[in-house]
Amino acid sequence: MLIDFGWTADGAAWADARGSAAHGRVRMGPRALVQLLQTRLGLTRPAVDQAVRIAQYMALIQQHLGSGIPSGSFWPARSFTVDPWSTTRQLLRWRDAAVEAGWVAPDAGHPLPARLAALRDVEAAVVVGMPGTSDASGRAATLSPAAADDLVEVLALQEQLDSTGSTWPLGIDAIACEEDPASLPGLWPRLLAVLARSGVAVTAPGADPVAGAGPAVGVRPAPRLEGVSCQDEWSAADVAARYLAARSLDTQAAPTATATPTATASTSGDGSLTLLAGADTTVLDQALRRRGLPAVGAITPSTDRAHHQVLGLYLDVAIAPVDVHQLAALLDLRVLPGADDDAEPIGLVPAAARRRLLKALTQEPGVGGPAWQRALRELEERVTTVDADLRSGAEKALEAAREIDRLVADPLPAEGLYPPAITARLDWLAQRLQSISRGDGDLLASLTQVRTLQSVLGMLDARAPLSRRTLQQIIDTCGGSGRSPLASAEVSPWAVTTRPAQVAAGGGTVLWWAPEGGEAPTPVQWDQVEREALRAGGAHLIDPEQLAALHIDAALRGLRTAGHIVAVLPGRRLEKPPSPSGLLAHLEAAAGLTEKDRHSPESLILGDTWSLGGRTLPVRVPQLHTVDPPEDLHRQFAAGTHLLPDRLSFTAAQTLVGCPLHWLLKYALGVRPADVAALPTGDRMIGTLVHAVVEDLVNQRWDESIGGAPLTPPTAGEITAAFERLVPQFASELDLPGHAAQRADVHDRTVRSLRTLFEGTARAGLRITGTEVRFNQALTLPLASGARTVEFRGSRDMDLRDKDGHPTVIDLKWSRSRTRYGDLYDTGDAVQLASYAWALDQAEALSQPAQVGYFLLHGGDFVTANRELDPRRRIPMDVHDSWDRLVRSVTAVLDQIAAGTATAGCRCLLENAGLPLDAPYSKRKRALEGARAAARSEGLVAIDSYCATSEYAQLCGMTGDFR
């Protein structure tokens, strides 16, 4: 075997060997050569996750700190106390760098700089080896080997063979070095020297071990350089994609060929074409696909890949306080496509459990409440009612739901994250991932991450709790970087590489995508005293400048194999300018060029021809295409009664009158946002919570003997107790970090307003006889096509009775507006109250209508004609007239829908008032007041339905192309 060895050649393709690729000749870097020698010497071993090594090293540090050393004698002790994982990771990096350099720690009596002394103290307990093995002295292994330890072991065995005059067949005939072996850092000069003594022909740069002395590659002139500076990554991608799609001038001058444009792109007047991807090619790949060209697929690995998020998301839910939005995301997580095109994607949580638990969260954004428990009961009942062939799936759904319930019902305290407790929470996740993985690489990576975390946690002190920060650091380390699902290189007529040192252009053209800085990695920095101590311990160190030169020289050697370089520079990537490329600056300076000599994308177009670097492409300016909004605000469809409802709630009726198109989409057609996106938050969530507090207080005080709650109002302490108990069930968001001020404000307002509510009703002699009182009444609508009876159903917030038994209905609202509900009441447009009064009248056949009113929870105000509750001397609302106007309005809209027309009412209101779609609230308010007055004069009702703030904004035309 002949090896071309380069300090930067790790990852190089077989075809990149010096000269032309041939059987038995490969190009290798340091890591690849060590792995080859391990194989030949019988020293291979399984790979060990870096997180495991960090955990092992952390245990050694803890052992050292617990050995009774004097206080302050261990240099990083304070850092380790504050951030043990990061401190250990950094110390381990320094340790591996020192070992790779050849340092052997002296005994404890030898004075050393503080950093090296700390490494020596820990190294005294290090026994390198795989877990469960022992060294020659019988000591159990305490630290799994890294690349540095592999190098030390290979060198030690080779030197042992050399010292005894023994030989071992390595199967390597020659190693041709791209750098002078003496210029390499660490143990590499020794390793190459001992290989040479064992019979391997190790040659210096420029000498080919096959052809003998002489240059392996002829001296080439400096490449011709062109640069294009673009404004951003997207315009740069267009330039690069056009260059690859364009035909060369030589190709155009040649006779007509049958090759496709993609095939001709591989050849130019200068020979082969190589694409050097200096940065992530996600945007470039999109531009290539638009032109029918193969994607590069050089996408940077990241810890943000979807399969790397499963573990972190799962543990976020398992740790108090429970974030209901994270819980919803976990429930909604889909991890695999369906078995066929029509099948539903497979979720981490089975579909039956996912749907029911998410529905519960949309009703009550917390855990453990009535809706959550109802979902669990439905899953239990489903196991006994489904067919036998579906029972196994139902049981798995129930098991998953119970596990999620256990996870959130008893979350781990943030200050008590003990490793055994965390490990126990991970068992179900590992089992679920294993059962659904089906050999999928991404899911197997998630499973490996979970197993690795469990292994790491098993190495840590079971009695020492972890901080959330440390746990997240461990999770990130266990996962590593994941491959993007878009990182799939496609067969292309040009060569692709991602590192300048691995370019082998052979005098052809290099298209350099996104040159950036950082050509040389950042090594471990040692100060002068440390360097002297390391050299005294046998380390071979080179200056950082010399180490950087190894990388820069290799990169320049690769680039200089090109005859022509076309560099395309994005002005901004990821919302920031990329760091300038020192390699490009060097080449430009050598060619007598500056940044001012670079092209702009506009300068590449002359007339109807685009040209760059000898390649041309015909271009044209497309006609301007504008999208005009429809002149009418109606949607037409087949006439008939198929879209008419069989049941209505007040909310549905309100939407129907306010915006018929919105109602059609949401209720008739079932076009709704995903449950995970419809989770209540903000005022809607708080309103649900305070409603629940009222209901809980009434239920606690219910007295069957009097048919309701006593007139004695609850105390502030009782209100607080109910509030604290129900927050995790109905508004768990308030318990999250950063919400303390909002939580305190909501609590104080709740206590004040509910004291006002209960004291006011008691003072007025109104006994609460029910909360969230369900009703379901038949409502006959006189449609043009004939009378239609629907179920009108809902629930009243609060029913009350005076001493004579006359009913009052109070609707609770958490609203910041001081005037909205008072205005609705005074103008007779409070049709929600009218609908509740009608439902009560239908149930009890009242001799006179019930009194109605609002109670505004945010401010603690009543809106009603009862002067004991509201001193504003309001005129009682005519609930019969309001109800009749609502029924006429609903009937009119349903007649339109039966005729095949739905109106975008949210837009009609603005259009009729001559207002733009983004009109300010003050103008919209005046327009609505005018519409309400006009509707009242016609015996109808107008309802505000401003869809621009809803999920239906784009479907109704309030946003998007028509705005």
Side-chain angles (χ1 to χ4, degrees), residues 589-612:
L593 302 174
T594 66
E595 292 184 6
K596 295 181 180 179
D597 296 308
R598 298 173 184 170
H599 304 296
S600 66
E602 298 82 7
S603 68
L604 304 178
I605 300 176
L606 183 60
D608 59 356
T609 301
W610 179 94
S611 62
L612 172 64

Side-chain angles (χ1 to χ4, degrees), residues 698 700-703 706 708-714 758 762 766-768:
V698 172
Q700 287 182 38
R701 301 160 56 78
W702 190 266
D703 187 344
I706 59 176
L711 295 181
T712 306
F758 286 102
L766 296 175
R767 186 183 309 281
I768 300 173

Side-chain angles (χ1 to χ4, degrees), residues 7 10 84 200 261 280 297 329 345 378 427 448 471 596 696 794 831 881 887:
W7 188 249
D10 274 321
V200 178
D280 187 286
E378 289 176 2
D427 288 338
T448 300
L471 178 60
K596 295 181 180 179
D696 183 76
V831 288
D881 176 69
V887 171

